[in-house]
Amino acid sequence: MSAPQAGRPAPLEAPAPLKELTIRGIVIGGIITLVFTAANVYLGLKVGLTFATSIPAAVISMAVLRLWSDHTVQENNIVQTIASAAGTLSAVIFVLPGLVIVGWWNGFPYWQTMLVCALGGSLGVMYSIPLRRALVTGSELPYPEGVAGAEILKVGDAHGAGEDNRRGLLAIVLGALASSLMSLLSNLKIAASSVSAAFRLGGTGTMLGSSLSMALIGVGHLVGMTVGVAMLVGMLLSYGVLLPYFASGSLDGGDGLEDALGAVFRSDVRFIGAGVMAVAAVWTLVKIMVPIVRGMRESVAASRARHGGGSVARTERDIPAGVVVASILASMLPIGGLLWFFASGTAIAHNTGALIAVSVVFILAAGLLVAAVCGYMAGLIGSSNSPVSGVGILVVVLTALAVLLVHGTGSSAEETTALVAYTLFTAAIVFCIATIANDNLQDLKTGQLVEATPWKQQVALVIGVVFGALVIPPVLGLMQTSFGFQGTPGAGESALAAPQASLIASLAQGVLGGGID
C-alpha cells in the first residue's frame, strides 16, 4: 500500500465490530444456567420463592470472561441475560407440578414439559419487545435489579477491577459452601433446620414456625427490607387474624390440631391471599394501559423508519416488528398441536376443537396482558419482588372460566379431572410468558445502561429460554423422585410443599368442580 501523500490525512480505519453476542458468551451463559435453574426449581418447590439470577450470573461472568483480554461489558451483559432468562423460566414450577398433584401425570414427560417452557418462554420474549420503549426507555420506572446489574457490569469492566471480580466470585463460593454445610448438619440431625408449633387460643387456634434455611436468608437479602416487611405483615394477618377467625369452632374433630389448622389454612386463608394478589394484578394493568399502547406505537414507527432507509441508533434497534408478529402467530400452530396431543384420548377428546380454538385466542390475548403487568411490576419493585404468582393465580382462574364457558362442568369425575389438567396445561404456557416478560424488561434495562444492542440481547433471551427449557424437565423429575410433592399419594415427610402449584391446582378444581367458596 502506498504511503499517504503529503498534506493529505491518512484514511480512517473502520472500527472493530463490538464483541457482544459471541459463542463463548453463549457457552458460559449455558453452563451458569444449569446451576441457577436447578437452584430456583428446588427453592420454588420448597418455599414458593424464586430469585432473580442476573446479578450473581453477572459476577460469575465477569470473573470468567476476564481470562480473555478482548472481552467487553456488552458481552458480559449477554452472559447474564442468558443465565437470567433460563433461571427465571424455572418459575413454571408454580403451575406444572399441579398436574402431578391432581393425579394426571405420574412424572414430567420430557417433550411436553420442554415444549411448554420453550414455546411459552419464547412468546414472553416476543411480547416484551414492543413493551421495551413503553416501560424501559420511555419510562421513569426504577428497575432496581436492572440498574444494580448494570452498575456491577460497569465496575467489573473497569481497569483494575480483577480483584473485585475475584472477591465477588469468592463470596458466591463461600455462600454455597455455608449452605451445603448447614444442609449436611440438618440432615445428620446435628442441627435443626426448622421448628413449628400449633396451639389453641380459647375456642380457636393458630400456628407458628421458623426455618433456619441459608437459601431463605439469601433470598431475604436479595429482596430487601420493603418486601420482607410486606411478607411479615402478610404472615401476621394470616396467622394472627384470619386463621384464628376461620378456625373458630372447627377444631373439635378427630384430626390433630396441626392437621386441622392446616386444612383451614388451605381452604380459607390461602384463597384470600389469592384474591388479594389477583386484584393487585388487575389494578396494575388498568394503570399502565396508556403508556403501553404509546410505547407499542413508537416501536412500530421505529421499525418502519428502518425499513424506509431511516437511521436508527444501534442502541434502539429491536427485532423488527414484522418478525415479532410473525413469530407470535407462527407459534400458535405448535401450541395448538401440543394442546391437541395433551387432550387426545382423554374424557374431553370429543370437544378438543372448540377447546383448542378458545385456548389459542386466550393465550394470544392474555399473553400480552400478563407480559405488560409483570414487566411493569419488575420495573417498579424488581424481578425477585414482582408478584408473578399472583398473576399466575389470575391466569388459572381466567383459563378455568374460559374452559368452563366452552365445555361446561364435567359429567363425571374423570371428565372433571381432565378439564382441570387441560386448564393447568394451558395456564402453564401463559405463565411462562409472564415469568419471562417479568425478567426480560429488567435485563433490557441493564442493556440500555451498558449501551447494548437490543436485538442481540433479545436473541440472547430466546437462547436462554431454550437452555432453561432443556434443563427444567429433568430437574423437575429429579425433585419428584427424590422428595415428592405434598398432597400427592405416598408423599413422605421430606416432600416439597410446592405451595403455588398446590394452590393453583385447588383453584382450577374449585372453579371447574363447582366446589370453590
Side-chain angles (χ1 to χ4, degrees):
M1 181 181 295
S2 60
Q5 297 179 5
R8 184 174 298 178
L12 295 175
E13 294 183 4
L18 180 67
K19 282 192 176 294
E20 192 166 358
L21 187 61
T22 63
I23 297 297
R24 69 189 180 197
I26 293 172
V27 172
I28 294 171
I31 293 172
I32 297 174
T33 288
L34 297 174
V35 178
F36 285 132
T37 301
N40 251 344
V41 168
Y42 173 74
L43 191 64
L45 289 173
K46 184 175 178 62
V47 296
L49 287 172
T50 57
F51 61 95
T53 57
S54 56
I55 292 177
V59 174
I60 295 173
S61 167
M62 289 185 299
V64 175
L65 277 178
R66 289 196 72 86
L67 298 174
W68 288 271
S69 60
D70 60 343
H71 72 278
T72 65
V73 65
Q74 289 83 10
E75 188 179 14
N76 271 315
N77 179 56
I78 289 294
V79 175
Q80 70 87 16
T81 295
I82 292 173
S84 177
T88 301
L89 188 61
S90 61
V92 73
I93 57 152
F94 292 163
V95 181
L96 280 181
L99 291 166
V100 177
I101 292 173
V102 301
W104 188 259
W105 278 355
N106 294 320
F108 295 92
Y110 182 84
W111 289 107
Q112 291 187 60
T113 306
M114 186 274 288
L115 287 173
V116 165
C117 296
L119 291 169
S122 298
L123 277 174
V125 176
M126 293 299 129
Y127 275 122
S128 65
I129 291 172
L131 297 174
R132 184 183 69 85
R133 291 176 180 271
L135 299 180
V136 177
T137 59
S139 168
E140 296 182 357
L141 292 171
Y143 285 98
E145 290 168 355
V147 173
E151 290 302 313
I152 289 172
L153 289 173
K154 289 177 182 178
V155 171
D157 194 64
H159 179 70
E163 183 60 31
D164 291 333
N165 292 334
R166 282 189 289 272
R167 283 201 299 266
L169 184 60
L170 179 62
I172 290 177
V173 172
L174 290 177
L177 292 175
S179 182
S180 300
L181 177 61
M182 184 61 200
S183 178
L184 177 64
L185 292 176
S186 62
N187 285 321
L188 292 175
K189 308 300 181 184
I190 298 175
S193 59
S194 63
V195 60
S196 61
F199 50 90
R200 289 184 177 274
L201 296 171
T204 184
T206 189
M207 300 185 292
L208 287 177
S210 180
S211 171
L212 186 60
S213 167
M214 296 295 104
L216 285 179
I217 292 173
V219 170
H221 179 72
L222 286 173
V223 301
M225 182 62 71
T226 301
V227 175
V229 170
M231 296 179 71
L232 179 63
V233 171
M235 184 195 74
L236 293 174
L237 285 173
S238 297
Y239 291 98
V241 179
L242 297 175
L243 182 58
Y245 172 77
F246 285 108
S248 179
S250 62
L251 302 179
D252 299 327
D255 293 334
L257 180 61
E258 188 169 350
D259 291 338
L261 288 170
V264 173
F265 186 88
R266 288 189 297 271
S267 63
D268 292 302
V269 179
R270 195 165 57 174
F271 285 105
I272 291 177
V276 170
M277 290 189 287
V279 170
V282 172
W283 178 244
T284 300
L285 178 62
V286 171
K287 290 197 299 181
I288 64 175
M289 283 306 297
V290 173
I292 286 172
V293 172
R294 183 174 61 248
M296 292 177 68
R297 287 176 179 171
E298 292 174 357
S299 179
V300 172
S303 181
R304 288 175 178 171
R306 288 181 62 187
H307 284 294
S311 176
V312 178
R314 175 184 62 83
T315 54
E316 288 299 324
R317 295 176 185 171
D318 295 300
I319 293 176
V323 175
V324 171
V325 173
S327 299
I328 292 174
L329 295 178
S331 65
M332 293 301 113
L333 292 175
I335 285 176
L338 190 62
L339 293 173
W340 176 85
F341 181 81
F342 184 85
S344 62
T346 68
I348 60 174
H350 62 281
N351 202 20
T352 302
L355 284 172
I356 292 176
V358 170
S359 299
V360 167
V361 173
F362 178 80
I363 291 170
L364 275 171
L368 179 59
L369 297 180
V370 300
V373 170
C374 291
Y376 179 85
M377 294 304 294
L380 188 64
I381 57 176
S383 300
S384 296
N385 308 337
S386 181
V388 178
S389 55
V391 176
I393 287 166
L394 185 61
V395 165
V396 78
V397 169
L398 292 177
T399 307
L401 290 173
V403 169
L404 191 66
L405 181 66
V406 174
H407 191 281
T409 57
S411 58
S412 63
E414 182 182 4
E415 189 173 354
T416 299
T417 303
L419 288 171
V420 170
Y422 182 86
T423 297
L424 294 176
F425 195 72
T426 304
I429 299 173
V430 181
F431 194 72
C432 286
I433 297 173
T435 59
I436 288 298
N438 180 61
D439 172 76
N440 281 6
L441 293 172
Q442 198 79 243
D443 288 333
L444 291 172
K445 181 64 177 182
T446 301
Q448 179 201 19
L449 295 175
V450 300
E451 298 184 347
T453 308
W455 76 261
K456 291 183 180 180
Q457 194 172 6
Q458 289 152 7
V459 170
L461 288 165
V462 175
I463 293 172
V465 164
V466 173
F467 279 150
L470 294 173
V471 171
I472 287 172
V475 174
L476 272 174
L478 179 64
M479 295 299 159
Q480 185 196 0
T481 55
S482 300
F483 302 100
F485 307 129
Q486 291 181 12
T488 58
E493 293 182 0
S494 61
L496 299 171
Q500 274 89 350
S502 178
L503 171 59
I504 286 173
S506 298
L507 283 168
Q509 288 174 318
V511 173
L512 293 167
I516 194 169
D517 187 351

